[in-house]
Amino acid sequence: MKFEDEPKYAARRRMMVEQLRANPLAFPANVLEAISRVPRHLFCQKMYLSSAYDDVTLPIAAQQTISQPSTVARQMSLLDLHPGERVLEIGTGSGYQTACLEAFGVNVYTIERQKELFHITSNLLKGLESKAIYICGDGYNGMPQYAPFDKIIVTAGAFSFPPKLMAQLKVGGLMIIPIEDKSGTSHLYRVRRIDESNFNVDKLEECKFVPMLSGVN
């Protein structure tokens, strides 16, 4: 991807990355390097540009949000990414995490269910010369035409582990997904495919994401 940097935002981005570097979760240096190269303000609405480099979620189109930088860093860190891997992203959203994944050097396949948001983000990504494969569709179905994937990252809270996504994960591959339980509390989960029919699941920290809905809106 190609970005035209602006000095006033570059300085604020460096400060954001330094704050992430001090986070107790100790994000890997290669993840922070990728994030440092992506101008987050390009993916924010104009009315929120003053907060573009704060560690907060911000509203975007279709009543969705752009994830806070520490959440992006955490999910990328948990994926144990390696350049050249094939990564499926469920929930393109603003395109910010898509851009961070690309900056890391992985091949991104991303899907968004909100038609309005897909139109806005796909035009933005195209303008930035993104090489990601992006479609408008139901995230629960994944992108079987491009499977299997080394890694899958889900950016919305599901209510169970989607079987179609599990099936699209390579043996040895990882999926990071937020799951909401019956009490309404969500946790991040790390899923590793052991073989064709077995998965290892780790329950991690509590989190907050917009709900993962089915269908195309």
Side-chain angles (χ1 to χ4, degrees):
M1 301 181 79
K2 291 186 178 181
F3 302 112
E4 290 185 10
D5 217 347
E6 299 178 50
K8 67 176 180 179
Y9 289 117
R12 290 169 58 189
R13 188 164 68 254
R14 285 194 294 270
M15 290 178 61
M16 180 192 78
V17 172
E18 286 306 309
Q19 291 174 349
L20 292 176
R21 204 182 308 278
N23 192 292
L25 291 172
F27 306 124
N30 54 3
V31 168
L32 295 180
E33 168 61 23
I35 289 175
S36 75
R37 289 189 274 126
V38 179
R40 189 173 185 246
H41 68 275
L42 297 179
F43 302 88
C44 296
Q45 294 183 327
K46 289 184 179 180
M47 67 187 76
Y48 299 111
L49 287 180
S50 63
S51 300
Y53 292 99
D54 296 339
D55 192 24
V56 295
T57 60
L58 295 170
I60 56 174
Q63 298 182 317
Q64 302 300 299
T65 59
I66 179 174
S67 294
Q68 62 191 97
S70 59
T71 298
V72 172
R74 177 61 169 162
Q75 286 198 294
M76 288 179 64
S77 300
L78 290 172
L79 278 178
D80 187 26
L81 295 167
H82 299 277
E85 288 185 323
R86 293 160 56 86
V87 178
L88 173 63
E89 179 189 37
I90 305 300
T92 314
S94 68
Y96 176 62
Q97 186 158 255
T98 309
C100 290
L101 289 166
E102 275 202 78
F104 192 95
V106 299
N107 300 306
V108 185
Y109 301 77
T110 183
I111 183 168
E112 173 57 50
R113 68 177 294 273
Q114 297 280 355
K115 292 180 181 178
E116 176 190 1
L117 190 52
F118 172 77
H119 176 72
I120 294 171
T121 301
S122 60
N123 284 335
L124 173 60
L125 292 174
K126 183 178 180 180
L128 296 174
E129 300 184 22
S130 168
K131 295 181 180 179
I133 304 296
Y134 39 91
I135 66 169
C136 185
D138 188 335
Y140 279 99
N141 293 330
M143 296 171 70
Q145 66 272 40
Y146 297 107
F149 298 99
D150 297 289
K151 308 288 168 63
I152 298 177
I153 182 169
V154 181
T155 65
F159 299 100
S160 61
F161 297 99
K164 291 183 180 179
L165 296 185
M166 306 278 275
Q168 291 172 38
L169 193 61
K170 279 185 178 180
V171 171
L174 286 172
M175 176 169 67
I176 303 301
I177 180 171
I179 299 288
E180 182 176 324
D181 61 26
K182 294 180 180 179
S183 72
T185 303
S186 296
H187 287 83
L188 278 179
Y189 285 81
R190 179 171 48 198
V191 180
R192 183 184 296 275
R193 188 165 196 172
I194 304 302
D195 54 36
E196 288 301 319
S197 56
N198 294 291
F199 297 84
N200 182 65
V201 178
D202 293 319
K203 183 178 181 180
L204 305 172
E205 70 266 18
E206 190 173 327
C207 61
K208 289 185 179 181
F209 284 84
V210 296
M212 182 178 175
L213 304 176
S214 60
V216 175
N217 186 18

